[in-house]
Amino acid sequence: MSPEELWSIGELAERAGVTVKTVRFYSDRGLLPEAGRSGGGHRRYGPEALDRIRLIRSLRTLDLPVPDVGRVLDRDDDLADVVARRLREVGGRLAALRWQEASLRLLQDCTAEERVERLRLLGTVPVPPDTTALARFWRRTLPVRLPPRLAATIVGVAVPDPPEDPTPAQVLAFARLHELVARAPAPVVHLDGLDHRPAVLYEGLGEAYALAAAHLRAGRPPVAGEALDCFVAAYAAALGVPDTRAFRRRLGGLMIQGADPLIARYWELAAEAATPAAGRAEPTAGATHHWLCVALKTGPGTRPFPTGQEKERPKNSSSATAT
């Protein structure tokens, strides 16, 4: 291409609809190679620079950092990978903004006294919330002899996922969950002091909770049946004893003995944190445990829970085994 066919920096800027300063910036950053120089040392560009500068502008419109733009132009990075990475970044920022909006609405729709307390709670939780503290709480609650994979599964079930588009009530529930686990003493360890096999217990409880969850979704009251049998069998197998009427009476007592108000409060807040603006949340493990305990106490040959304690237990309460 002859020097006469090349464009000056001003001509390129005019054709591309940008300022000379913009063309110079892209050139200085290595995004826009020069085709040559004039006799006076001025930059010259060929027609291909026009397409390149338009591509640069498109990529910058997506707010891609200049280094990422350069890697895409030089084909060091695949455009699809860069776009996917940028989508994750934008998604994270949007999630933070949605949590900020819900937090502001939480502070708006309350009394002055409530606003002070809620503001204090919100100050203890990152935006969007990090569930590390909740996971740590459950890891120190679970028996140390559990296989790592089983423990990770239990923690995954016990820790609610922060919703992408939270309601003010969900924001408040997450804040209260964080405060609860931050101030909580060591929870009551269920079956503490009894010779049992924790892995056998938790494997069996997972199946029992899944069966009970189907009853909860259908709105059925606690009754004897397959779910309760599976629940009792898990404890019987863990303790190495047969499932008898005498054992069911004993198990009813163990459920009372192992009930921890701290864990009950956790499951109550977890249910609130998982409840969307429209519809119902999935039953928590705490709710299914409570359903099974009520079914156990009303079944034949079991000792009923004390009336006073039954009234004090929240709807989604459970013992420390409910994960």
Side-chain angles (χ1 to χ4, degrees):
M1 184 177 293
S2 66
E4 290 76 18
E5 296 177 289
L6 297 179
W7 300 331
S8 68
I9 191 171
E11 290 171 332
L12 175 60
E14 184 178 358
R15 290 170 184 269
V18 298
T19 64
V20 170
K21 183 179 179 180
T22 297
V23 176
R24 185 174 292 112
F25 173 79
Y26 292 155
S27 294
D28 292 343
R29 292 302 181 95
L31 301 180
L32 195 63
E34 304 164 14
R37 290 269 178 164
S38 68
H42 299 293
R43 307 178 195 199
R44 292 291 185 264
Y45 300 90
E48 69 279 357
L50 184 58
D51 290 334
R52 190 172 176 93
I53 203 169
R54 286 170 176 165
L55 178 56
I56 293 171
R57 291 188 67 194
S58 296
L59 293 171
R60 290 293 288 154
T61 299
L62 299 175
D63 206 22
L64 288 181
V66 170
D68 284 351
V69 173
R71 285 192 288 270
V72 170
L73 293 173
D74 296 336
R75 301 186 182 276
D76 291 334
D77 279 3
D78 185 74
L79 178 58
D81 292 338
V82 172
V83 169
R85 184 167 66 244
R86 186 65 188 147
L87 276 173
R88 289 193 295 271
E89 294 170 357
V90 170
R93 289 196 348 224
L94 287 174
L97 287 173
R98 285 191 286 265
W99 272 86
Q100 288 175 4
E101 180 185 21
S103 299
L104 289 169
R105 293 191 184 282
L106 179 67
L107 295 174
Q108 183 182 46
D109 302 329
C110 62
T111 64
E113 292 77 12
E114 288 174 328
R115 189 170 295 118
V116 172
E117 175 63 12
R118 292 179 179 185
L119 188 59
R120 181 190 65 78
L121 283 170
L122 292 175
T124 64
V125 185
V127 176
D130 183 352
T131 58
T132 302
L134 306 183
R136 190 183 305 119
F137 168 79
W138 279 106
R139 288 195 182 96
R140 69 186 179 93
T141 299
L142 294 172
V144 295
R145 290 179 290 163
L146 281 182
R149 182 175 296 182
L150 178 57
T153 299
I154 294 169
V155 170
V157 170
V159 176
D161 292 323
E164 293 184 0
D165 192 7
T167 64
Q170 287 177 309
V171 169
L172 183 59
F174 265 96
R176 285 175 171 162
L177 271 175
H178 278 76
E179 181 185 49
L180 180 72
V181 301
R183 298 183 177 184
V188 174
V189 178
H190 201 47
L191 300 187
D192 188 28
L194 296 177
D195 185 18
H196 71 290
R197 294 178 292 172
V200 173
L201 174 62
Y202 281 90
E203 290 282 7
L205 286 179
E207 183 179 352
Y209 291 167
L211 292 169
H215 291 285
L216 280 165
R217 292 187 199 98
R220 301 188 193 105
V223 292
E226 184 182 6
L228 178 60
D229 291 343
C230 187
F231 181 69
V232 175
Y235 281 97
L239 291 165
V241 298
D243 177 4
T244 63
R245 283 198 173 195
F247 175 71
R248 293 197 176 207
R249 285 195 297 270
R250 179 190 174 199
L251 184 59
L254 289 174
M255 293 300 98
I256 297 170
Q257 205 173 12
D260 187 342
L262 169 66
I263 300 296
R265 178 58 175 160
Y266 179 96
W267 286 119
E268 183 181 6
L269 291 172
E272 293 175 8
T275 302
R280 296 192 308 174
E282 278 291 294
T284 65
T288 57
H289 186 90
H290 179 62
W291 189 96
L292 289 162
C293 285
V294 175
L296 176 64
K297 77 172 184 178
T298 57
T302 57
R303 179 165 61 89
F305 283 15
T307 304
Q309 181 164 345
E310 181 183 0
K311 290 180 179 179
E312 292 172 1
R313 290 171 63 85
K315 182 177 180 182
N316 289 295
S317 65
S318 73
S319 74
T321 32
T323 54

